Amino acid sequence: MTMKDLSTGPDWIVWVVFVILVAISAILLSGHGANLIAGYNTAPEEKKEKYDEKKLGRVIGTGLLAIAILLPFAVLGQAMLPAWVAYAFLGFTIADSIVMIILANTICKK
């Protein structure tokens, strides 16, 4: 069984998600767009002051970029790659999200 057997949708959707993730990552890594981070944009000013905004953007931007970089490999190799790679990608995405949350709540605080 290959990843193509697990695929149920068109490939262009993955490419659109890839472009969106790269664009958001670029905005966050440039030090702008902290309002794109869920939870940070709705936090009151006294909570926002506890975080280093640029460092928070770098952490979240790097995490999103890591996921975005793996997406094209999953799409381009789906005819050859075994099905377990899809589950490994899902596991990596979950682990990356957990690491981003931990880093955002530890090293990004002032």
Side-chain angles (χ1 to χ4, degrees):
M1 181 184 291
T2 63
M3 283 181 53
K4 189 70 172 171
D5 300 330
L6 299 175
S7 176
T8 58
D11 290 346
W12 66 267
I13 292 173
V14 178
W15 291 108
V16 169
V17 170
F18 169 74
V19 169
I20 291 170
L21 285 176
V22 169
I24 292 172
S25 294
I27 292 169
L28 289 170
L29 288 171
S30 69
H32 301 89
N35 288 333
L36 296 173
I37 301 171
Y40 184 77
N41 61 348
T42 58
E45 287 300 320
E46 57 269 5
K47 281 199 172 187
K48 285 184 178 181
E49 291 173 0
K50 294 180 182 177
Y51 289 92
D52 183 358
E53 191 173 301
K54 288 192 180 216
K55 195 179 285 188
L56 184 64
R58 275 188 250 128
V59 166
I60 303 299
T62 304
L64 289 178
L65 190 60
I67 294 170
I69 288 172
L70 290 179
L71 271 177
F73 293 111
V75 174
L76 294 174
Q78 70 182 352
M80 319 176 275
L81 295 173
W84 64 265
V85 174
Y87 301 114
F89 179 74
L90 176 64
F92 174 79
T93 303
I94 292 170
D96 187 43
S97 300
I98 291 169
V99 168
M100 281 192 294
I101 291 169
I102 292 170
L103 291 177
N105 287 311
T106 56
I107 69 168
C108 294
K109 286 195 175 181
K110 288 183 180 176

XYZ file of all heavy atoms in Angstrom:
833
model
N 0.843 -1.177 0.000
C 0.000 0.000 0.000
C 0.892 1.246 0.000
O 1.832 1.344 0.752
C -0.897 -0.005 1.249
C -1.814 1.189 1.291
S -2.839 1.359 2.744
C -3.971 0.028 2.575
N 0.549 2.172 -0.889
C 1.302 3.420 -0.973
C 0.449 4.579 -0.457
O -0.728 4.408 -0.150
C 1.711 3.716 -2.428
O 0.526 3.906 -3.201
C 2.547 2.599 -3.022
N 1.067 5.744 -0.372
C 0.340 6.925 0.086
C -0.769 7.305 -0.888
O -1.774 7.881 -0.492
C 1.292 8.098 0.265
C 2.100 8.011 1.522
S 3.222 9.393 1.762
C 2.183 10.806 1.601
N -0.610 6.971 -2.160
C -1.634 7.283 -3.170
C -2.940 6.564 -2.829
O -4.024 7.078 -3.097
C -1.126 6.873 -4.555
C -1.988 7.333 -5.681
C -1.904 8.826 -5.836
C -2.616 9.268 -7.096
N -2.733 10.704 -7.167
N -2.832 5.373 -2.218
C -4.027 4.634 -1.829
C -4.790 5.341 -0.707
O -5.997 5.164 -0.570
C -3.656 3.216 -1.375
C -2.973 2.427 -2.476
O -3.270 2.686 -3.657
O -2.143 1.559 -2.147
N -4.101 6.128 0.096
C -4.738 6.855 1.194
C -5.281 8.208 0.761
O -6.106 8.796 1.457
C -3.743 7.066 2.337
C -3.171 5.816 2.992
C -2.123 6.205 4.012
C -4.266 5.003 3.629
N -4.821 8.709 -0.374
C -5.206 10.034 -0.840
C -6.642 10.017 -1.344
O -7.028 9.161 -2.133
C -4.275 10.480 -1.964
O -4.689 11.716 -2.469
N -7.432 10.983 -0.875
C -8.823 11.037 -1.303
C -9.172 12.346 -2.000
O -10.247 12.474 -2.547
C -9.774 10.892 -0.091
O -9.480 11.927 0.839
C -9.612 9.540 0.550
N -8.282 13.315 -1.962
C -8.581 14.614 -2.548
C -7.589 14.993 -3.623
O -6.590 14.307 -3.846
N -7.861 16.105 -4.290
C -6.936 16.569 -5.332
C -5.639 17.099 -4.730
O -5.610 17.616 -3.620
C -7.719 17.692 -6.026
C -8.751 18.116 -5.046
C -9.052 16.940 -4.179
N -4.565 16.980 -5.496
C -3.244 17.409 -5.034
C -3.099 18.929 -4.942
O -2.288 19.420 -4.166
C -2.156 16.867 -5.964
C -1.988 15.364 -5.835
O -2.502 14.796 -4.859
O -1.341 14.773 -6.713
N -3.881 19.678 -5.699
C -3.726 21.128 -5.698
C -4.055 21.721 -4.332
O -3.530 22.783 -3.994
C -4.548 21.779 -6.802
C -6.039 21.654 -6.652
C -6.821 20.673 -7.188
C -6.905 22.513 -5.920
N -8.123 20.882 -6.826
C -8.210 22.009 -6.048
C -6.712 23.661 -5.168
C -9.312 22.607 -5.460
C -7.814 24.264 -4.575
C -9.098 23.743 -4.722
N -4.885 21.066 -3.563
C -5.223 21.571 -2.234
C -3.973 21.600 -1.350
O -3.745 22.554 -0.609
C -6.339 20.720 -1.590
C -7.638 20.918 -2.361
C -6.534 21.082 -0.121
C -8.764 20.026 -1.934
N -3.152 20.573 -1.452
C -1.928 20.518 -0.661
C -0.983 21.634 -1.083
O -0.316 22.239 -0.236
C -1.257 19.134 -0.793
C 0.041 19.084 -0.027
C -2.198 18.049 -0.318
N -0.921 21.937 -2.364
C -0.049 23.011 -2.838
C -0.531 24.374 -2.348
O 0.279 25.245 -2.019
C 0.076 22.991 -4.355
C 0.832 21.805 -4.829
C 0.339 20.715 -5.476
C 2.224 21.536 -4.643
N 1.334 19.796 -5.712
C 2.505 20.282 -5.212
C 3.266 22.235 -4.049
C 3.772 19.713 -5.211
C 4.536 21.680 -4.054
C 4.774 20.433 -4.631
N -1.845 24.567 -2.287
C -2.395 25.822 -1.762
C -2.039 25.962 -0.283
O -1.614 27.032 0.168
C -3.924 25.895 -1.977
C -4.542 27.049 -1.221
C -4.243 25.997 -3.461
N -2.174 24.874 0.480
C -1.815 24.889 1.900
C -0.327 25.168 2.061
O 0.086 25.936 2.939
C -2.215 23.559 2.581
C -1.650 23.463 3.979
C -3.720 23.411 2.601
N 0.492 24.585 1.199
C 1.940 24.822 1.223
C 2.253 26.301 1.034
O 3.029 26.893 1.797
C 2.622 23.979 0.135
C 4.057 24.340 -0.109
C 5.035 23.971 0.800
C 4.431 25.043 -1.235
C 6.368 24.308 0.589
C 5.748 25.380 -1.466
C 6.719 25.013 -0.546
N 1.644 26.928 0.035
C 1.896 28.347 -0.241
C 1.441 29.209 0.939
O 2.144 30.141 1.345
C 1.195 28.776 -1.555
C 1.214 30.282 -1.732
C 1.839 28.090 -2.741
N 0.286 28.896 1.526
C -0.218 29.658 2.669
C 0.726 29.531 3.855
O 1.057 30.526 4.516
C -1.646 29.214 3.031
C -2.620 29.641 1.931
C -2.077 29.771 4.379
C -4.005 29.047 2.065
N 1.190 28.306 4.150
C 2.094 28.105 5.282
C 3.424 28.820 5.075
O 3.966 29.410 6.018
C 2.337 26.609 5.518
C 1.203 25.829 6.157
C 1.563 24.345 6.236
C 0.885 26.361 7.533
N 3.951 28.788 3.864
C 5.215 29.479 3.583
C 5.034 30.991 3.720
O 5.900 31.682 4.283
C 5.757 29.097 2.187
C 6.906 29.995 1.767
C 6.199 27.640 2.176
N 3.914 31.513 3.241
C 3.666 32.957 3.343
C 3.538 33.390 4.803
O 4.143 34.388 5.216
C 2.405 33.326 2.566
N 2.778 32.639 5.590
C 2.631 32.978 7.011
C 3.965 32.845 7.732
O 4.306 33.677 8.574
C 1.536 32.109 7.659
C 0.167 32.477 7.091
C 1.531 32.270 9.174
C -0.957 31.562 7.524
N 4.739 31.820 7.398
C 6.059 31.642 8.007
C 6.966 32.820 7.691
O 7.683 33.311 8.560
C 6.709 30.351 7.518
O 5.998 29.240 7.956
N 6.954 33.269 6.452
C 7.803 34.404 6.057
C 7.414 35.661 6.816
O 8.286 36.412 7.267
C 7.696 34.632 4.548
N 6.119 35.878 6.984
C 5.658 37.062 7.719
C 6.100 36.978 9.176
O 6.606 37.953 9.748
C 4.127 37.197 7.610
C 3.733 37.535 6.180
C 3.597 38.252 8.571
C 2.242 37.422 5.905
N 5.940 35.814 9.784
C 6.305 35.656 11.190
C 7.812 35.716 11.394
O 8.296 36.310 12.359
C 5.746 34.345 11.741
C 4.230 34.305 11.926
C 3.773 32.885 12.235
C 3.798 35.256 13.016
N 8.578 35.113 10.503
C 10.035 35.118 10.638
C 10.628 36.510 10.406
O 11.716 36.803 10.896
C 10.664 34.108 9.680
C 10.458 32.638 10.060
C 10.933 31.724 8.937
C 11.166 32.315 11.355
N 9.916 37.358 9.684
C 10.408 38.704 9.459
C 10.156 39.618 10.659
O 10.570 40.771 10.642
C 9.764 39.303 8.208
O 8.392 39.555 8.443
N 9.478 39.091 11.673
C 9.231 39.876 12.877
C 7.903 40.599 12.871
O 7.598 41.352 13.774
N 7.111 40.378 11.853
C 5.805 41.014 11.753
C 4.724 39.940 11.885
O 4.998 38.760 11.849
C 5.652 41.719 10.401
C 6.694 42.757 10.171
N 7.897 42.464 9.586
C 6.730 44.068 10.468
C 8.625 43.561 9.522
N 7.941 44.559 10.050
N 3.502 40.343 12.010
C 2.394 39.404 11.966
C 2.159 38.621 13.231
O 1.626 37.519 13.173
N 2.540 39.150 14.384
C 2.268 38.440 15.635
C 0.770 38.288 15.856
O 0.336 37.379 16.569
C 2.910 39.155 16.808
N -0.017 39.148 15.213
C -1.467 39.031 15.331
C -2.022 37.818 14.589
O -3.193 37.511 14.705
C -2.154 40.308 14.843
C -1.967 41.445 15.817
O -1.797 41.215 17.013
N -1.984 42.656 15.311
N -1.186 37.141 13.806
C -1.612 35.904 13.146
C -1.550 34.709 14.081
O -2.066 33.645 13.747
C -0.726 35.638 11.918
C -0.810 36.655 10.787
C 0.245 36.341 9.738
C -2.185 36.655 10.184
N -0.936 34.866 15.230
C -0.781 33.762 16.186
C -2.034 33.682 17.053
O -2.381 34.633 17.749
C 0.470 33.962 17.056
C 1.711 34.037 16.167
C 0.595 32.832 18.073
C 2.962 34.450 16.902
N -2.694 32.535 16.982
C -3.922 32.349 17.756
C -3.621 32.446 19.245
O -2.643 31.905 19.741
C -4.532 30.997 17.438
N -4.468 33.139 19.942
C -4.286 33.314 21.376
C -3.530 34.580 21.704
O -3.899 35.290 22.632
N -2.508 34.869 20.942
C -1.738 36.090 21.182
C -2.525 37.315 20.730
O -2.510 38.342 21.390
C -0.388 36.036 20.466
C 0.494 37.223 20.762
C 1.168 37.316 21.970
C 0.642 38.258 19.852
C 1.969 38.418 22.262
C 1.437 39.349 20.122
C 2.092 39.423 21.335
O 2.883 40.503 21.617
N -3.219 37.177 19.606
C -3.945 38.333 19.074
C -5.148 38.715 19.933
O -5.587 39.846 19.895
C -4.375 38.089 17.628
C -5.302 36.896 17.485
O -5.474 36.108 18.404
N -5.892 36.752 16.319
N -5.682 37.784 20.704
C -6.845 38.086 21.547
C -6.476 38.321 23.009
O -7.349 38.614 23.819
C -7.869 36.947 21.474
O -7.246 35.737 21.895
C -8.407 36.790 20.058
N -5.205 38.188 23.329
C -4.769 38.369 24.721
C -4.823 39.847 25.099
O -4.579 40.724 24.270
C -3.347 37.839 24.893
N -5.120 40.110 26.365
C -5.088 41.509 26.815
C -3.650 42.049 26.808
O -2.685 41.280 26.801
C -5.646 41.447 28.234
C -5.717 40.021 28.614
C -5.580 39.197 27.386
N -3.529 43.354 26.795
C -2.215 44.000 26.690
C -1.258 43.582 27.812
O -0.063 43.421 27.580
C -2.368 45.519 26.680
C -2.933 46.068 25.386
C -2.064 45.742 24.187
O -0.829 45.799 24.294
O -2.633 45.427 23.130
N -1.753 43.399 29.026
C -0.859 43.023 30.132
C -0.269 41.624 29.927
O 0.838 41.348 30.361
C -1.552 43.131 31.498
C -2.816 42.322 31.664
C -4.080 43.086 31.288
O -3.989 44.224 30.813
O -5.164 42.519 31.468
N -1.005 40.725 29.248
C -0.435 39.410 28.949
C 0.530 39.487 27.763
O 1.525 38.774 27.724
C -1.547 38.404 28.658
C -2.211 37.867 29.886
C -2.943 36.586 29.568
C -3.420 35.983 30.870
N -3.990 34.671 30.676
N 0.228 40.331 26.791
C 1.110 40.491 25.635
C 2.464 41.042 26.052
O 3.477 40.717 25.443
C 0.477 41.404 24.592
C -0.635 40.768 23.806
C -1.132 41.721 22.741
C -2.210 41.097 21.910
N -2.688 41.989 20.853
N 2.482 41.868 27.083
C 3.736 42.457 27.546
C 4.670 41.425 28.160
O 5.864 41.678 28.285
C 3.440 43.562 28.561
C 2.789 44.782 27.952
C 2.341 45.785 28.988
O 2.529 45.532 30.199
O 1.798 46.833 28.582
N 4.158 40.260 28.534
C 4.975 39.212 29.143
C 5.774 38.419 28.103
O 6.640 37.638 28.462
C 4.097 38.240 29.931
C 3.423 38.852 31.136
C 2.575 37.819 31.839
C 1.840 38.426 33.020
N 0.968 37.448 33.672
N 5.460 38.605 26.820
C 6.098 37.824 25.760
C 6.963 38.708 24.878
O 6.647 39.858 24.619
C 5.033 37.136 24.894
C 4.324 36.014 25.603
C 3.155 36.235 26.308
C 4.831 34.727 25.574
C 2.496 35.218 26.967
C 4.190 33.699 26.222
C 3.026 33.946 26.918
O 2.390 32.921 27.564
N 8.060 38.117 24.390
C 8.903 38.764 23.392
C 8.274 38.474 22.033
O 8.302 37.341 21.553
C 10.327 38.208 23.476
C 11.276 38.874 22.513
O 10.839 39.749 21.741
O 12.465 38.518 22.544
N 7.692 39.503 21.433
C 6.908 39.322 20.217
C 7.732 38.777 19.051
O 7.280 37.898 18.318
C 6.265 40.658 19.833
C 5.237 40.555 18.749
C 4.518 41.870 18.523
O 3.898 42.388 19.467
O 4.601 42.369 17.386
N 8.938 39.276 18.865
C 9.782 38.809 17.752
C 10.219 37.360 17.951
O 10.227 36.570 17.011
C 10.996 39.719 17.585
C 10.625 41.051 17.022
C 11.844 41.813 16.595
C 11.367 43.134 16.043
N 12.148 43.590 14.945
N 10.553 37.009 19.182
C 10.960 35.633 19.458
C 9.777 34.682 19.272
O 9.927 33.583 18.730
C 11.515 35.518 20.875
C 12.279 34.236 21.117
C 12.835 34.164 22.520
C 14.033 35.052 22.692
N 14.709 34.862 23.975
N 8.597 35.100 19.690
C 7.395 34.297 19.516
C 7.109 34.082 18.032
O 6.791 32.971 17.605
C 6.210 34.977 20.202
C 4.884 34.239 20.205
C 5.001 32.943 20.997
C 3.803 35.115 20.795
N 7.264 35.121 17.242
C 7.080 34.998 15.798
C 8.083 34.057 15.168
O 7.737 33.273 14.280
N 9.333 34.121 15.633
C 10.362 33.210 15.101
C 10.066 31.758 15.446
O 10.247 30.866 14.612
C 11.739 33.598 15.617
C 12.384 34.671 14.772
C 13.824 34.895 15.176
N 13.849 36.211 15.824
C 14.363 36.460 17.006
N 14.942 35.522 17.692
N 14.314 37.664 17.505
N 9.612 31.501 16.668
C 9.313 30.121 17.086
C 8.159 29.551 16.270
O 8.252 28.454 15.713
C 8.996 30.074 18.600
C 8.356 28.751 18.987
C 10.255 30.294 19.412
N 7.067 30.294 16.168
C 5.903 29.808 15.442
C 6.196 29.741 13.941
O 5.821 28.776 13.262
C 4.671 30.701 15.723
C 4.371 30.759 17.225
C 3.456 30.210 14.953
C 4.048 29.438 17.870
N 6.900 30.733 13.405
C 7.251 30.724 11.986
C 8.142 29.555 11.611
O 7.966 28.935 10.566
N 9.104 29.233 12.471
C 9.984 28.094 12.205
C 9.215 26.780 12.253
O 9.428 25.888 11.418
C 11.141 28.062 13.228
O 11.830 29.304 13.177
C 12.101 26.936 12.942
N 8.316 26.655 13.207
C 7.506 25.439 13.303
C 6.613 25.251 12.091
O 6.492 24.143 11.556
N 5.990 26.330 11.628
C 5.150 26.241 10.425
C 5.981 25.944 9.183
O 5.549 25.193 8.307
C 4.373 27.545 10.234
C 3.252 27.828 11.206
C 2.628 29.183 10.909
C 2.195 26.749 11.157
N 7.171 26.514 9.113
C 8.036 26.275 7.960
C 8.487 24.814 7.904
O 8.581 24.231 6.822
C 9.237 27.212 8.003
C 10.109 27.252 6.764
C 9.300 27.705 5.557
C 11.280 28.186 6.979
N 8.738 24.209 9.063
C 9.130 22.793 9.085
C 8.014 21.916 8.524
O 8.274 20.975 7.755
C 9.472 22.369 10.510
N 6.791 22.219 8.865
C 5.658 21.461 8.331
C 5.514 21.724 6.832
O 5.300 20.794 6.041
C 4.366 21.826 9.080
C 4.459 21.372 10.537
C 3.146 21.194 8.411
C 3.357 21.879 11.427
N 5.666 22.994 6.428
C 5.514 23.360 5.021
C 6.568 22.692 4.147
O 6.278 22.304 3.018
C 5.584 24.871 4.864
N 7.778 22.542 4.658
C 8.846 21.930 3.862
C 8.566 20.456 3.591
O 8.883 19.938 2.526
C 10.206 22.125 4.563
C 10.628 23.582 4.458
C 11.283 21.216 3.981
C 11.839 23.939 5.272
N 7.939 19.774 4.522
C 7.649 18.355 4.328
C 6.452 18.092 3.418
O 6.349 17.012 2.843
C 7.417 17.683 5.684
C 8.646 17.540 6.556
C 8.280 16.881 7.877
C 9.724 16.738 5.856
N 5.554 19.053 3.282
C 4.356 18.851 2.458
C 4.655 18.481 1.002
O 4.078 17.524 0.492
C 3.466 20.088 2.500
C 2.427 20.142 3.601
C 1.690 21.456 3.559
C 1.463 19.002 3.518
N 5.523 19.195 0.291
C 5.771 18.827 -1.104
C 6.353 17.420 -1.265
O 6.043 16.724 -2.224
C 6.772 19.876 -1.592
C 6.640 20.999 -0.668
C 6.231 20.432 0.643
N 7.184 17.006 -0.318
C 7.747 15.654 -0.399
C 6.652 14.602 -0.284
O 6.698 13.572 -0.945
C 8.803 15.440 0.679
C 10.023 16.282 0.488
C 10.315 17.313 1.359
C 10.866 16.072 -0.590
C 11.431 18.099 1.172
C 11.987 16.852 -0.792
C 12.273 17.879 0.093
N 5.671 14.876 0.541
C 4.562 13.935 0.701
C 3.736 13.849 -0.577
O 3.307 12.770 -0.972
C 3.689 14.350 1.879
N 3.531 14.977 -1.242
C 2.720 14.976 -2.467
C 3.497 14.386 -3.634
O 2.966 13.557 -4.376
C 2.259 16.409 -2.812
C 1.557 16.452 -4.150
C 1.342 16.918 -1.729
N 4.745 14.805 -3.794
C 5.531 14.333 -4.936
C 5.867 12.848 -4.842
O 5.991 12.171 -5.859
C 6.815 15.152 -5.064
C 6.619 16.622 -5.419
C 7.942 17.357 -5.378
C 5.968 16.766 -6.776
N 5.998 12.342 -3.636
C 6.387 10.952 -3.489
C 5.259 10.004 -3.144
O 5.496 8.859 -2.812
N 4.012 10.479 -3.251
C 2.922 9.635 -2.797
C 2.730 8.372 -3.626
O 2.186 7.394 -3.132
C 1.631 10.427 -2.699
C 1.025 10.861 -3.995
C -0.230 11.676 -3.766
O -0.706 11.790 -2.652
N -0.761 12.247 -4.819
N 3.183 8.356 -4.870
C 3.054 7.152 -5.687
C 4.072 6.083 -5.284
O 3.840 4.892 -5.493
C 3.216 7.493 -7.154
N 5.198 6.508 -4.660
C 6.255 5.564 -4.320
C 6.369 5.290 -2.836
O 6.790 4.220 -2.438
C 7.620 6.078 -4.783
C 7.680 6.731 -6.100
S 9.329 7.362 -6.408
C 9.256 8.932 -5.607
N 6.060 6.280 -2.022
C 6.268 6.143 -0.583
C 5.252 5.195 0.045
O 4.087 5.178 -0.356
C 6.178 7.519 0.096
C 7.267 8.511 -0.283
C 6.953 9.871 0.313
C 8.612 8.031 0.212
N 5.684 4.420 1.023
C 4.735 3.536 1.702
C 3.721 4.333 2.522
O 3.938 5.500 2.860
C 5.618 2.675 2.597
C 6.898 3.406 2.726
C 7.039 4.272 1.530
N 2.614 3.701 2.849
C 1.512 4.374 3.542
C 1.914 4.869 4.927
O 1.389 5.873 5.406
C 0.319 3.441 3.638
N 2.869 4.218 5.571
C 3.236 4.621 6.924
C 3.847 6.014 6.960
O 3.862 6.668 8.006
C 4.168 3.613 7.588
C 5.504 3.454 6.925
C 5.848 2.524 6.000
C 6.669 4.259 7.131
N 7.149 2.693 5.607
C 7.678 3.750 6.298
C 6.952 5.345 7.947
C 8.956 4.307 6.246
C 8.227 5.907 7.892
C 9.206 5.383 7.052
N 4.329 6.512 5.811
C 4.913 7.851 5.764
C 3.845 8.906 6.064
O 4.126 9.912 6.710
C 5.592 8.094 4.394
C 6.068 9.531 4.261
C 6.741 7.125 4.197
N 2.602 8.654 5.631
C 1.516 9.593 5.933
C 1.289 9.669 7.433
O 1.077 10.755 7.989
C 0.234 9.160 5.220
N 1.349 8.537 8.105
C 1.170 8.530 9.551
C 2.369 9.155 10.269
O 2.215 9.814 11.286
C 0.915 7.105 10.040
C -0.310 6.503 9.404
C -0.204 5.413 8.542
C -1.569 7.040 9.635
C -1.330 4.877 7.951
C -2.690 6.512 9.039
C -2.572 5.424 8.206
O -3.686 4.896 7.614
N 3.558 8.960 9.700
C 4.747 9.595 10.273
C 4.659 11.111 10.117
O 5.038 11.861 11.025
C 6.010 9.061 9.588
N 4.156 11.581 8.977
C 3.978 13.021 8.773
C 2.966 13.586 9.766
O 3.176 14.665 10.327
C 3.526 13.307 7.344
C 3.289 14.765 7.070
C 4.361 15.627 6.934
C 2.009 15.271 6.974
C 4.161 16.982 6.697
C 1.798 16.618 6.749
C 2.874 17.473 6.597
N 1.895 12.863 10.002
C 0.909 13.291 10.993
C 1.532 13.350 12.387
O 1.332 14.318 13.116
C -0.294 12.346 10.995
C -1.362 12.626 12.044
C -2.011 13.976 11.802
C -2.384 11.514 12.058
N 2.319 12.342 12.736
C 3.004 12.339 14.026
C 3.977 13.490 14.152
O 4.064 14.135 15.206
N 4.717 13.789 13.075
C 5.653 14.912 13.089
C 4.910 16.231 13.271
O 5.357 17.103 14.018
C 6.469 14.961 11.794
C 7.337 16.183 11.698
C 8.537 16.244 12.382
C 6.933 17.282 10.952
C 9.332 17.382 12.315
C 7.708 18.418 10.879
C 8.918 18.473 11.568
N 3.783 16.385 12.596
C 3.000 17.616 12.706
C 2.497 17.822 14.126
O 2.567 18.928 14.672
C 1.816 17.588 11.716
O 2.325 17.403 10.397
C 1.016 18.870 11.774
N 2.016 16.755 14.751
C 1.544 16.848 16.133
C 2.698 17.161 17.076
O 2.593 18.033 17.947
C 0.810 15.558 16.538
C -0.503 15.447 15.756
C 0.543 15.516 18.041
C -1.199 14.118 15.889
N 3.823 16.474 16.904
C 4.988 16.715 17.754
C 5.515 18.142 17.565
O 5.881 18.809 18.537
C 6.084 15.699 17.442
N 5.549 18.618 16.333
C 6.008 19.974 16.050
C 5.090 21.000 16.710
O 5.562 21.992 17.263
C 6.053 20.195 14.538
C 6.671 21.529 14.154
O 7.701 21.891 14.750
O 6.121 22.194 13.250
N 3.802 20.749 16.681
C 2.853 21.659 17.330
C 3.069 21.698 18.840
O 3.022 22.770 19.455
C 1.419 21.236 17.020
O 1.191 21.267 15.638
N 3.311 20.545 19.429
C 3.561 20.479 20.872
C 4.844 21.231 21.229
O 4.888 21.989 22.202
C 3.600 19.020 21.348
C 2.202 18.403 21.249
C 4.134 18.907 22.766
C 2.167 16.903 21.452
N 5.886 21.049 20.426
C 7.150 21.751 20.669
C 6.960 23.258 20.531
O 7.486 24.031 21.344
C 8.254 21.232 19.714
C 9.473 22.132 19.735
C 8.627 19.812 20.075
N 6.182 23.696 19.537
C 5.932 25.132 19.382
C 5.215 25.700 20.603
O 5.554 26.793 21.073
C 5.086 25.395 18.132
C 5.849 25.368 16.844
S 4.911 26.001 15.439
C 3.606 24.822 15.264
N 4.247 24.973 21.122
C 3.515 25.444 22.305
C 4.436 25.532 23.509
O 4.417 26.519 24.255
C 2.311 24.517 22.586
C 1.263 24.679 21.499
C 1.703 24.808 23.955
C 0.168 23.632 21.534
N 5.265 24.509 23.702
C 6.193 24.510 24.846
C 7.194 25.656 24.735
O 7.436 26.391 25.695
C 6.902 23.151 24.970
C 5.896 22.073 25.385
C 8.054 23.220 25.958
C 6.424 20.657 25.303
N 7.779 25.831 23.553
C 8.745 26.911 23.366
C 8.104 28.282 23.500
O 8.706 29.207 24.053
C 9.434 26.777 22.012
C 10.389 25.594 21.858
C 10.933 25.545 20.440
C 11.509 25.663 22.867
N 6.888 28.419 22.997
C 6.206 29.713 23.100
C 5.927 30.071 24.556
O 5.922 31.248 24.907
C 4.897 29.670 22.308
N 5.721 29.066 25.386
C 5.406 29.341 26.794
C 6.631 29.328 27.707
O 6.498 29.551 28.911
C 4.369 28.338 27.303
C 3.003 28.612 26.737
O 2.541 29.739 26.766
N 2.379 27.585 26.206
N 7.810 29.045 27.149
C 9.011 29.034 27.975
C 10.012 30.094 27.506
O 10.198 31.098 28.181
C 9.677 27.650 28.001
O 9.946 27.244 26.661
C 8.809 26.626 28.709
N 10.650 29.885 26.364
C 11.727 30.795 25.951
C 11.219 32.117 25.410
O 11.991 33.071 25.305
C 12.675 30.139 24.933
C 11.970 29.915 23.597
C 13.259 28.870 25.456
C 12.927 29.544 22.481
N 9.947 32.208 25.053
C 9.421 33.461 24.495
C 8.928 34.420 25.560
O 8.564 35.550 25.245
C 8.278 33.155 23.514
S 8.862 32.275 22.053
N 8.916 33.996 26.806
C 8.506 34.914 27.874
C 9.677 35.811 28.223
O 10.815 35.425 28.185
C 8.051 34.129 29.105
C 6.696 33.495 28.905
C 6.121 33.043 30.199
C 4.709 32.524 29.948
N 4.065 32.095 31.164
N 9.355 37.063 28.588
C 10.390 38.025 28.947
C 10.912 37.733 30.326
O 10.251 37.285 31.204
C 9.821 39.440 28.903
C 9.571 39.920 27.496
C 9.080 41.354 27.515
C 8.821 41.832 26.108
N 8.253 43.172 26.082
